[in-house]
Amino acid sequence: MIPKYRIRCISGGEIVPDITSLSCPAGHDSLLRTEYTSRRLQLSYHSGIFRYLCWLPVTAPLLPSGGPVTFTSDELSRELGLSRLAISFSGYSPEHHASLTTGSFKELEALATLQRLWELGKKIPVIASAGNTGRAFAGLSAQYGKPVVVVVPSSAVSRLWTTTPAQDVFLVAVDGDYTDAIAVSTALATVPGCVPEGGARNVARRDGMGTTVLDAAVTLGRIPDHYFQAVGSGTGAIAAWEAALRLIGDGRYGTKLPRLHLAQNKPFTPIVLAWQQRRRTFKPELDMPDAPNAIKEVMSPVLTNRSPPYGIGGGLFDALQATEGQMYAVSNDEGKKGMALIRDTLGIDPDPAAAVATAALVQAAAAGTVGPDDSILLNITGGGYERIREDYTLYPIEPSVTVNQHETGDTLKAELSRWVAHYG
Ligand SMILES: Cc1ncc(COP(=O)(O)O)c(C=O)c1O
């Protein structure tokens, strides 16, 4: 039987035989990419992201599942003077048929990732998160009864809750920042039975997030000219580029890549600064001076990744280059105005990251970087939290263990091993 997909190293171009690989066995510093046998996007009868099952690296859907929704808003279009503005929303808003009860587009990646790991041997993923990703995995764990290990900075614990009680989440709180949480998660992923979730290197994560662009293209009948999103790691933006490449290969949605317009939150804007000089590598002293304090000042902490997949082959630099992309630095004041704009025009409380993306669109419209009649997709990557609170009881997740930032040692691993043993 012809396999549904293969994995290819983007930099080297070779097929990677082991589809569970997260990096190139030939040693290229590159992301791997799925290559689907079906060049045509065939819509399935499933709902949510599994409508796009054809271009997801899984054989079966995880149901019921939510997905992104694409819609237009006369009010928002009028406010911005953009006649062909569409919104991709990944969050919760029954009026917009948006049912992601973990509140962000991280649920899209979590759905595809959990299903894939389950199909490939029921390994338990270890996820480092600044909050939203951890909540997405914890929420799905609670919904489907699949175990997950989540590692977050202690300051993010309050962002972890579920709408059904979570029985199968091993939550590690790290007294440090997101980078420290990543270090702890790397150590924990070596515990037998566990695997690193892989971040941007995980093809299921990227293809799950890419459904935002698939849904938009199917709804609008074409690939948009411009794509706006706020980025921390940039994984969602890389996914948008890859989804557009597949749509071009399909042939029915257009032949041009959307231009990526990506935003970060001042004063922490390393990708903006590196891209302005068209540098593939970061210079920490120029791009992230005084990072710990800069990170404390932003309104959207999920946008503060210090080691995003930027220079790696097939990463964000390549995505920006291929799409003639543009980066935007957005202040908290602009972000707050973006938040009010979305709330007033769509009736949704956006995630602060989505407010930052909106502010970038406001900048672009004012500067004439986008034309009034261009086809534009604004990715509102999260929101609807107030409505989730109204419609559901929220269950906070208590840390199974709290560790200091340098803890990667045997005691913690032994504790995790005992927990993993339950799942046999
Ligand atoms: C709501 C929301 N929007 C945007 C982003 C940025 O996504 P990425 O890290 O894929 O660039 C995040 C990251 O956590 C997020 O939670």
Side-chain angles (χ1 to χ4, degrees), residues 96-177:
H96 296 95
H97 309 286
S99 60
L100 302 179
T101 51
T102 69
S104 87
F105 77 155
K106 297 291 167 177
E107 189 168 327
L108 311 178
E109 70 182 48
L111 280 163
T113 297
L114 277 186
Q115 177 63 14
R116 186 162 190 262
L117 284 176
W118 201 247
E119 289 182 1
L120 293 178
K122 304 193 173 147
K123 288 269 171 58
I124 301 175
V126 180
I127 300 121
S129 167
N132 287 350
T133 308
R135 189 173 61 250
F137 275 91
L140 295 185
S141 162
Q143 200 178 329
Y144 302 110
K146 293 189 192 300
V148 298
V149 180
V150 177
V151 186
V152 295
S154 308
S155 58
V157 167
S158 63
R159 287 200 283 276
L160 292 190
W161 41 259
T162 51
T163 52
T164 39
Q167 316 281 0
D168 304 296
V169 179
F170 189 89
L171 175 61
V172 181
V174 180
D175 284 332
D177 68 11

Side-chain angles (χ1 to χ4, degrees), residues 345-369:
T345 54
L346 307 184
I348 294 170
D349 55 309
D351 187 282
V356 167
T358 306
L361 178 57
V362 171
Q363 283 185 16
T369 313

Side-chain angles (χ1 to χ4, degrees), residues 231-380:
V231 293
S233 71
T235 311
I238 298 167
W241 168 47
E242 294 179 322
L245 284 170
R246 288 192 186 109
L247 288 165
I248 290 172
D250 175 304
R252 290 173 294 166
Y253 298 95
T255 54
K256 216 170 140 260
L257 287 171
R259 186 166 178 206
L260 296 184
H261 300 260
L262 309 176
Q264 295 208 289
N265 192 183
K266 282 201 267 198
F268 188 77
T269 58
I271 303 172
V272 182
L273 296 170
W275 177 245
Q276 269 167 0
Q277 298 187 352
R278 299 298 184 267
R279 268 188 284 111
R280 185 182 271 278
T281 43
F282 289 123
K283 290 189 180 161
E285 67 286 4
L286 290 183
D287 301 333
M288 19 190 148
D290 196 16
N293 283 321
I295 286 173
K296 279 188 202 136
E297 284 179 42
V298 299
M299 68 182 272
S300 173
V302 298
L303 304 180
T304 59
N305 190 314
R306 279 201 254 177
S307 44
Y310 173 70
I312 187 170
L316 198 55
F317 181 88
D318 287 341
L320 285 163
Q321 199 162 47
T323 62
E324 294 169 29
Q326 174 133 352
M327 291 297 310
Y328 298 78
V330 167
S331 67
N332 286 352
D333 276 351
E334 290 172 298
K336 283 179 194 143
K337 286 186 191 141
M339 189 158 283
L341 182 61
I342 295 300
R343 193 185 270 279
D344 295 346
T345 54
L346 307 184
I348 294 170
D349 55 309
D351 187 282
V356 167
T358 306
L361 178 57
V362 171
Q363 283 185 16
T369 313
V370 291
D373 300 317
D374 289 354
S375 156
I376 299 169
L377 185 65
L378 169 62
N379 194 344
I380 304 281

